[in-house]
Amino acid sequence: MSRTPPQLALDGARDTIPMVVGAAPFGVIFGTLAVAAGLSPATAFAMSLLVFAGSSQFIAVSLISAGAALPVIWLTTFVVNLRHALYSATLLPYARQWPLAWRWPLAFWLTDETFAVVEHRFRSQGAAGGQWYWLGSSLAMYGNWLAWTLAGVWLGRSVPGLAKLGLDFAMVATFAAIVAPQLKKRPTLVAAAVAGLTALLARGLPYKLDLMLAALLGVAAGLTLEYRQHRIRP
């Protein structure tokens, strides 16, 4: 029996619950850091509402706190978010035929966590009704991020020094949970290893270029190995 759109949306939200739990501390940390950097509560919440990109928001707040010029902030956050081009290229074969009324909002709501959940579902079950599943995952992440941003803003104003308690360790745990299920095939494992080694060796490059370099070399290594495997064993 086929699933109805509301059921598919609920499926997407349900499958995203582990990511929602992992992302909650990020929202709290962002809210506290934004307040510590001098942003008003309304500005901090507006950034989560209109930008909705955790890593870019953290970097922007750090640069604002350091007094960086707007062009530097724009360029740095742009480079950090270039990884979404890779996500889009991966999901495009499934979403190509969807109307723009679906693709525009879903593109805005696409995060690392939603990509991991949606890509796994599409790859294992196909893209039938996928826009509703994607919508459920996106709304779960979006509502969660907004709620915890508000909590972080409130805590940042009420509990000085909260941003220094080491809550950002949750970021490492969440991304490990995203990556681990994908490491079942040699090309994916090689891609992850090359990307990780590159990020370590290139650490410190300006404008977070180490992340893009790691992503590009990791993808190139994985595709090269996959191509060689197909040539040997079609």
Side-chain angles (χ1 to χ4, degrees):
M1 185 176 180
S2 60
R3 309 283 286 172
T4 64
Q7 289 174 328
L8 289 168
L10 287 175
D11 288 345
R14 180 200 62 205
D15 292 346
T16 311
I17 289 176
M19 307 301 182
V20 166
V21 173
F26 301 165
V28 175
I29 296 168
F30 169 73
T32 60
L33 290 178
V35 170
L39 273 67
S40 69
T43 302
F45 182 74
M47 187 178 288
S48 286
L49 183 70
L50 301 176
V51 177
F52 189 45
S55 56
S56 293
Q57 290 178 228
F58 277 107
I59 291 170
V61 165
S62 298
L63 292 174
I64 291 171
S65 180
L70 280 178
V72 174
I73 298 173
W74 294 335
L75 178 61
T76 304
T77 54
F78 173 75
V79 170
V80 169
N81 273 339
L82 280 176
R83 69 188 187 281
H84 286 268
L86 303 177
Y87 298 164
S88 299
T90 301
L91 297 177
L92 179 60
Y94 303 105
R96 189 189 306 273
Q97 303 302 322
W98 297 351
L100 288 177
W102 274 108
R103 284 189 284 164
W104 278 107
L106 293 179
F108 168 73
W109 282 319
L110 182 61
T111 61
D112 303 291
E113 295 85 357
T114 291
F115 168 77
V117 171
V118 170
E119 190 275 335
H120 178 267
R121 194 264 188 184
F122 286 3
R123 180 163 40 85
S124 60
Q125 301 181 35
Q131 61 269 53
W132 290 101
Y133 182 91
W134 188 336
L135 178 65
S137 175
S138 295
L139 292 181
M141 289 299 303
Y142 192 49
N144 179 70
W145 184 249
L146 295 179
W148 287 109
T149 294
L150 286 176
V153 168
W154 179 80
L155 288 172
R157 292 168 63 89
S158 305
V159 186
L162 185 64
K164 301 178 181 179
L165 295 182
L167 296 176
D168 51 343
F169 173 76
M171 184 178 297
V172 179
T174 298
F175 278 94
I178 292 174
V179 172
Q182 312 293 329
L183 305 180
K184 296 180 179 179
K185 298 181 179 180
R186 285 184 61 193
T188 309
L189 184 60
V190 168
V194 170
L197 182 60
T198 302
L200 181 63
L201 295 177
R203 184 175 54 183
L205 288 178
Y207 308 118
K208 298 294 180 180
L209 290 173
D210 50 337
L211 298 180
M212 276 308 302
L213 181 62
L216 291 174
L217 293 183
V219 169
L223 288 176
T224 299
L225 181 57
E226 188 170 13
Y227 175 72
R228 292 185 61 184
Q229 287 181 343
H230 279 290
R231 286 192 63 187
I232 297 173
R233 186 182 63 248

